[in-house]
């Protein structure tokens, strides 16, 4: 049972790492983030990827609750207490985000690219959705790192690998948060710039909103404005 919990935890940690690395591409641009998702995230959106992800999430959570149930007392070591508290927090932070994406895709056929997602975070709900998403990133990463450490610390090679692992555990979330912030500021700048005759603003708005490109073309024909399409 312990090995099954470790396996499912590693699957979830691999998924989280893929997301964090993808967010890090936002340091370059939101377009780079979107392009990187084809390699880092698309495998998780396939049927085998979704089966592995949802299965690992369900089994890992149930095994964690079962392990807690078997304990005769709740006097936990600090690391285990933190891991438990963070693990129980993850569904509360994750469910609103996951439901919005899945229901939007299933019921309304809305494709949530990173432009649309960052518009939701930074423009539509900067006081609720944005802090919740940032907190989710930190909670998931810390929970995974605590679990990984508790599983690997008895390995004979762990002391030698610890400096490199600690560096990665710090660098990856830092780059991910920087990427999210940079991409969000790009979206804010595009909205503040506001002119639909600006190619970059127009393309970003078309990626965020349904039917906007057609609206731009109708406006151009109405007022005799020639809009140069960008690649």
């Amino acid at each position: 049972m312990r090995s099954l919990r470790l396996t499912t935890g590693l699957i979830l940690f691999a998924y989280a790492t893929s997301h964090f690395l993808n967010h890090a591409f936002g340091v370059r641009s939101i377009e780079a983030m979107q392009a990187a998702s084809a390699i880092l995230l698309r495998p998780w959106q396939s049927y085998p990827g979704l089966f592995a992800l949802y299965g690992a999430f369900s089994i890992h959570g149930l095994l964690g609750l079962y392990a807690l149930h078997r304990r005769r007392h709740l006097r936990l070591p600090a690391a285990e207490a933190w891991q438990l508290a963070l693990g129980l927090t993850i569904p509360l932070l994750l469910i609103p985000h996951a439901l919005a994406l899945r229901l939007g895709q299933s019921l309304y056929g809305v494709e949530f690219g990173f432009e649309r997602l960052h518009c939701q975070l930074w423009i539509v709900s900067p006081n609720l959705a944005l802090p919740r998403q940032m907190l989710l990133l930190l909670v998931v990463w810390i929970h995974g790192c605590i679990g990984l450490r508790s599983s690997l610390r008895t390995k004979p090679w762990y002391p030698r690998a610890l400096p490199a692992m600690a560096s990665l555990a710090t660098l990856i979330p830092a780059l991910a948060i920087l990427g999210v912030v940079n991409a969000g500021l790009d979206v804010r700048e595009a909205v503040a710039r506001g002119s639909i005759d600006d190619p970059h603003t127009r393309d970003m708005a078309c990626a965020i909103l349904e039917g906007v490109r057609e609206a731009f073309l109708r406006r151009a024909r109405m007022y005799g404005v020639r809009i140069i399409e960008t690649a």
Side-chain angles (χ1 to χ4, degrees):
M1 187 171 295
R2 183 177 179 84
S3 62
L4 180 58
R5 187 179 178 189
L6 174 61
T7 301
T8 54
L10 288 174
I11 293 173
L12 295 174
F13 196 73
Y15 174 73
T17 303
S18 300
H19 255 74
F20 275 67
L21 293 175
N22 195 88
H23 290 334
F25 278 88
V27 173
R28 173 66 178 84
S29 68
I30 200 167
E31 290 82 7
M33 185 187 290
Q34 188 68 47
S37 68
I39 298 173
L40 294 170
L41 300 184
R42 189 164 295 171
W44 295 103
Q45 297 166 355
S46 64
Y47 285 115
L50 290 174
F51 179 80
L53 179 62
Y54 292 155
F57 184 82
S58 301
I59 294 172
H60 191 74
L62 290 174
L63 289 177
L65 292 176
Y66 179 69
L68 179 63
H69 172 72
R70 290 185 59 189
R71 297 187 68 94
R72 297 181 179 180
H73 55 77
L74 291 178
R75 294 192 297 273
L76 303 175
E80 289 187 29
W82 274 105
Q83 186 183 20
L84 175 62
L86 294 172
L88 294 175
T89 304
I90 289 174
L92 301 177
L93 298 173
L94 180 61
I95 287 174
H97 174 68
L99 279 180
L101 294 180
R102 288 300 167 195
L103 289 179
Q105 291 174 346
S106 302
L107 299 181
Y108 305 106
V110 176
E111 291 296 329
F112 279 86
F114 282 100
E115 293 89 352
R116 184 191 297 272
L117 180 60
H118 280 80
C119 180
Q120 176 69 28
L121 294 177
W122 290 84
I123 305 300
V124 178
S125 184
N127 297 322
L128 177 61
L130 180 59
R132 185 179 62 206
Q133 192 69 11
M134 290 293 192
L135 182 60
L136 176 61
L137 292 177
L138 293 175
V139 167
V140 165
W141 192 255
I142 295 172
H143 174 80
C145 287
I146 294 175
L148 200 61
R149 176 185 175 274
S150 65
S151 299
L152 299 180
R153 63 183 177 181
T154 57
K155 305 295 182 182
W157 48 264
Y158 180 76
R160 297 192 301 273
L162 182 58
M165 294 174 66
S167 298
L168 289 175
T170 304
L171 184 62
I172 290 176
L175 289 176
I177 292 175
L178 285 175
V180 170
V181 171
N182 187 67
L185 292 178
D186 284 346
V187 171
R188 277 189 173 179
E189 181 183 353
V191 172
R193 197 162 50 230
S195 173
I196 65 171
D197 295 320
D198 178 80
H200 181 70
T201 304
R202 184 175 69 247
D203 291 343
M204 185 170 289
C206 287
I208 295 172
L209 302 174
E210 296 286 346
V212 176
R213 185 171 297 279
E214 290 73 13
F216 285 149
L217 295 177
R218 287 198 301 271
R219 175 184 180 277
R221 288 193 293 269
M222 182 182 300
Y223 293 101
V225 177
R226 181 171 177 268
I227 295 182
I228 300 175
E229 294 291 326
T230 58

